[in-house]
Amino acid sequence: ITLNTSDDEIAVCNLASINLPAHVRSAEQRQAKFDLPDILDLEKLEQTVTTTMRMLDNVVDLNLYSVDKARRSNLRHRPVGLGCMGFQDALHMLRLAWSDADAHTFADWAQQSISAYAIRASALLARERGRYSSYDGSLWSRGILPIDS
């Protein structure tokens, strides 16, 4: 991740993690052993990601900055990062080994789902709160998403 740092700004990024195993359906809840749309509770995941993105955006405004250059950068660019934790636990719940092709498929699918929900939540926040001030000219403004860069 490349973040803006200059004589006037210090790069800041506000981070959160989604607890992936909390969104994996139990074996009893799933229709099939390995049916991707059935493995994760997508409604719950979307709600979690949407709430988390709102909380991350709020952190930008509510943070206590000890360095003015960090405050300036954070308010201007509003950088956030959302990942997941507990991937190995999710694989264990699914009875998948790291090296299993289904584990790789699950990893891609879970991350793409989180990414899509985060992008949607971010767009809705921009509609509600306005774009961040350095949006014009950014990769986002040119339709280049993180997966593309």
Side-chain angles (χ1 to χ4, degrees):
I1 299 172
T2 303
L3 297 176
N4 298 295
T5 298
S6 67
D7 290 339
D8 297 327
E9 297 179 348
I10 295 173
V12 177
C13 191
N14 308 282
L15 306 172
S17 292
I18 300 296
N19 182 358
L20 194 57
H23 298 83
V24 174
R25 294 181 196 270
S26 69
E28 295 80 30
Q29 294 171 316
R30 293 194 303 267
Q31 303 285 325
K33 181 179 184 266
F34 194 76
D35 180 28
L36 286 174
D38 196 38
I39 289 175
L40 288 176
D41 183 338
L42 293 177
E43 286 182 29
K44 182 179 180 182
L45 184 62
E46 182 177 18
Q47 182 179 27
T48 299
V49 170
T50 300
T51 300
T52 304
M53 290 300 291
R54 180 172 290 277
M55 290 172 27
L56 282 168
D57 192 59
N58 289 342
V59 164
V60 172
D61 296 320
L62 299 174
N63 206 348
L64 300 174
Y65 299 96
S66 58
V67 180
D68 191 50
K69 289 180 180 185
R71 179 182 185 279
R72 184 178 309 119
S73 175
N74 213 23
L75 291 172
R76 183 167 185 245
H77 308 294
R78 305 189 78 77
V80 298
L82 181 60
C84 72
M85 61 182 171
F87 180 71
Q88 176 60 40
D89 296 320
L91 291 182
H92 177 74
M93 292 170 72
L94 297 169
R95 305 281 193 253
L96 295 174
W98 277 95
S99 58
D100 193 319
D102 284 343
H104 298 175
T105 300
F106 173 69
D108 287 343
W109 185 76
Q111 292 303 320
Q112 288 177 18
S113 297
I114 291 170
S115 178
Y117 293 141
I119 290 167
R120 183 176 187 278
S122 182
L124 292 173
L125 282 168
R127 223 181 257 155
E128 175 187 331
R129 297 178 174 182
R131 294 185 271 180
Y132 59 96
S133 65
S134 65
Y135 175 81
D136 290 333
S138 71
L139 294 176
W140 288 98
S141 73
R142 293 180 279 160
I144 303 171
L145 303 179
I147 196 168
D148 302 319
S149 63

